[in-house]
């Protein structure tokens, strides 16, 4: 059984995002980049399934600039077996990513396709759903638990009303949520071994996908600065400020 895991190169979640002076986009110069945190959870889940004897091979795929190989190597150090880098200097949008992943999944005959529920740079939360629709297979989104039983997988999903468990036939698409697992740290010997694992380079044209953007970014602005809070001396003062200044009561 094979697993395909998609990883995206994003600004590290610990880094404060800077906007370019001309407001044309986000400033990436001298910025630490990492695997999208939700995708890292997907990698960890695939590795755990492999350790449990459910999966035989883990393939990691990424679509982005040549530097995305760093994120693929990081996933290989965590336990993935080989990587596929689809090199594109154009910003990939969810539908384009889904089309490429569909081609990879079908070419590799993967049984489980894992990816984060969303990327922290654009927060679209669309790729997994689009991929399942394009492939005509089941999807288990916002997964907090994954159990593979034969040719089926039970996915416990986090929904507004609590938890929902869906039973899916394999192959299936699973998008991971924060509470699914806690990713491990890569050990130095595994980081060294990851440098020798194979990473194939492809282009979007190899999959017949046009990366030309159908969207135009007009302006990027940082969020407005929040005013500092104040400390009040009593409940009466708090009520007075809520009533007369904030006007919320």
């Amino acid at each position: 059984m094979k697993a395909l895991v998609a990883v995206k190169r994003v600004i590290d979640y610990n880094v404060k995002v800077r906007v370019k002076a001309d407001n044309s986009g986000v400033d990436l110069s001298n910025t630490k980049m990492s695997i999208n945190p939700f995708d890292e959870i997907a990698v960890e889940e695939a590795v755990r399934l492999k350790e449990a004897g459910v999966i035989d091979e883990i393939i990691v795929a990424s679509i982005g600039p040549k530097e995305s190989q760093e994120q693929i190597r990081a996933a290989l150090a965590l336990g993935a077996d080989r990587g596929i880098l689809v090199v594109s200097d154009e910003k990939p949008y969810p539908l384009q990513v889904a089309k490429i992943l569909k081609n990879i999944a079908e070419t590799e005959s993967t049984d489980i396709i894992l990816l984060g529920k969303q990327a922290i740079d654009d927060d679209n939360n669309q790729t997994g759903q689009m991929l399942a629709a394009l492939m005509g297979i089941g999807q288990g989104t916002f997964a907090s638990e994954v159990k593979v039983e034969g040719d089926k997988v039970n996915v416990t999903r986090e929904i507004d009303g609590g938890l929902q468990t869906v039973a899916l036939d394999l192959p299936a698409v699973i998008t991971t949520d924060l509470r699914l697992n806690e990713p491990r740290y890569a050990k130095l010997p595994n980081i060294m071994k990851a440098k020798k694992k194979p990473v194939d380079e492809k282009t979007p044209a190899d999959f017949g996908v046009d990366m030309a953007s159908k969207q135009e970014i007009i302006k990027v602005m940082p969020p407005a600065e929040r005013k500092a809070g104040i400390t009040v001396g009593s409940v009466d003062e708090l009520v007075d400020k809520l009533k007369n200044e904030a006007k919320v009561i």
Side-chain angles (χ1 to χ4, degrees), residues 1-228:
M1 189 177 289
K2 288 184 182 179
L4 172 64
V5 185
V7 299
K8 185 177 183 181
R9 177 183 173 88
V10 299
I11 296 176
D12 189 272
Y13 70 93
N14 289 310
V15 174
K16 183 178 180 181
V17 177
R18 306 187 310 272
V19 175
K20 291 180 179 178
D22 60 359
N23 297 112
S24 62
V26 175
D27 187 1
L28 300 181
S29 60
N30 300 315
T31 301
K32 182 183 178 183
M33 307 295 285
S34 301
I35 298 177
N36 176 49
F38 290 103
D39 295 342
E40 195 172 15
I41 292 170
V43 173
E44 174 65 25
E45 191 64 21
V47 172
R48 293 188 184 191
L49 289 172
K50 184 180 179 182
E51 290 173 343
V54 175
I55 289 174
D56 302 308
E57 184 180 27
I58 302 170
I59 305 162
V60 176
S62 187
I63 300 109
K66 261 189 171 305
E67 292 80 5
S68 296
Q69 187 167 147
E70 297 171 10
Q71 282 63 52
I72 291 179
R73 293 292 179 191
L76 295 175
L78 293 172
D81 297 294
R82 58 188 174 94
I84 299 174
L85 172 59
V86 182
V87 181
S88 173
D89 291 327
E90 299 290 333
K91 174 180 170 61
Y93 287 90
L95 183 57
Q96 296 163 327
V97 174
K99 287 179 178 179
I100 292 173
L101 292 178
K102 172 182 181 292
N103 278 279
I104 295 174
E106 291 176 346
T107 301
E108 296 287 348
S109 300
T110 53
D111 303 280
I112 298 176
I113 305 163
L114 287 156
L115 59 162
K117 70 172 184 178
Q118 65 193 71
I120 62 172
D121 55 358
D122 52 27
D123 282 327
N124 281 324
N125 180 22
Q126 296 173 338
T127 304
Q129 293 88 331
M130 288 179 173
L131 175 58
L134 289 173
M135 296 185 68
I137 59 178
Q139 57 179 291
T141 54
F142 318 127
S144 61
E145 186 177 10
V146 175
K147 289 185 177 180
V148 179
E149 298 176 354
D151 60 351
K152 294 184 180 294
V153 57
N154 292 329
V155 179
T156 301
R157 306 178 59 235
E158 296 192 355
I159 59 175
D160 290 341
L163 299 175
Q164 176 191 59
T165 301
V166 294
L168 308 171
D169 293 324
L170 295 177
V173 174
I174 300 171
T175 71
T176 58
D177 214 333
L178 285 173
R179 280 158 289 281
L180 178 58
N181 60 53
E182 185 174 340
R184 69 193 68 189
Y185 290 100
K187 296 179 180 178
L188 183 57
N190 293 337
I191 294 174
M192 301 305 294
K193 290 177 184 177
K195 295 180 179 180
K196 297 181 180 180
K197 291 183 179 180
V199 177
D200 294 332
E201 284 196 11
K202 303 284 186 180
T203 66
D206 294 332
F207 304 100
V209 177
D210 180 12
M211 297 300 285
S213 175
K214 305 297 190 294
Q215 302 178 28
E216 181 184 358
I217 296 176
I218 305 298
K219 193 174 186 180
V220 176
M221 297 180 65
E225 293 287 341
R226 292 185 179 182
K227 293 182 179 179

